[in-house]
Amino acid sequence: STLLASSAASDVYKRQITMEEYGNVRLKLKERMDSDGINRNTLARRIGVRFEVVDKWYRGDVEKLDLDILARICCVLHCTVGDLLEYHR
């Protein structure tokens, strides 16, 4: 049984996995901002970025996370990364 499990695991490392296998990460910034009563203009000003940057995060339209922006958002909203990101398989 252990041999079968390790064999299956090594097969995963040999091929490219599909989205159905790895899932996705969803941004929950909109929900957090709405519940905190903070708008996109205010957040953009407080973290020192353009409105368009916050708007993309708010809409969940971010392909690659900028960890510096994520840290600024967490600081201003007094939350953790886990409060803003959700992994779905």
Side-chain angles (χ1 to χ4, degrees):
S1 142
T2 306
L3 182 57
L4 286 176
S6 72
S7 175
S10 72
D11 286 347
V12 171
Y13 295 119
K14 292 178 184 174
R15 63 177 176 76
Q16 184 173 353
I17 60 174
T18 65
M19 186 169 177
E20 290 80 25
E21 291 174 303
Y22 67 78
N24 64 6
V25 174
R26 186 178 78 82
L27 283 170
K28 300 187 298 181
L29 181 61
K30 179 185 185 317
E31 293 91 335
R32 180 64 188 231
M33 288 176 62
D34 292 349
S35 73
D36 287 0
I38 185 170
N39 65 42
R40 288 170 281 177
N41 281 316
T42 301
L43 183 61
R45 190 174 57 255
R46 300 245 351 250
I47 67 172
V49 299
R50 294 182 346 266
F51 172 85
E52 293 81 12
V53 172
V54 170
D55 186 52
K56 278 189 163 206
W57 281 69
Y58 184 84
R59 291 182 289 114
D61 189 24
V62 177
E63 289 181 26
K64 295 182 181 181
L65 294 179
D66 182 325
L67 297 180
D68 183 62
I69 291 175
L70 182 58
R72 293 180 200 192
I73 292 171
C74 287
C75 179
V76 168
L77 297 181
H78 306 289
C79 66
T80 67
V81 170
D83 295 328
L84 300 178
L85 300 176
E86 186 172 75
Y87 173 68
H88 291 275
R89 195 149 205 202

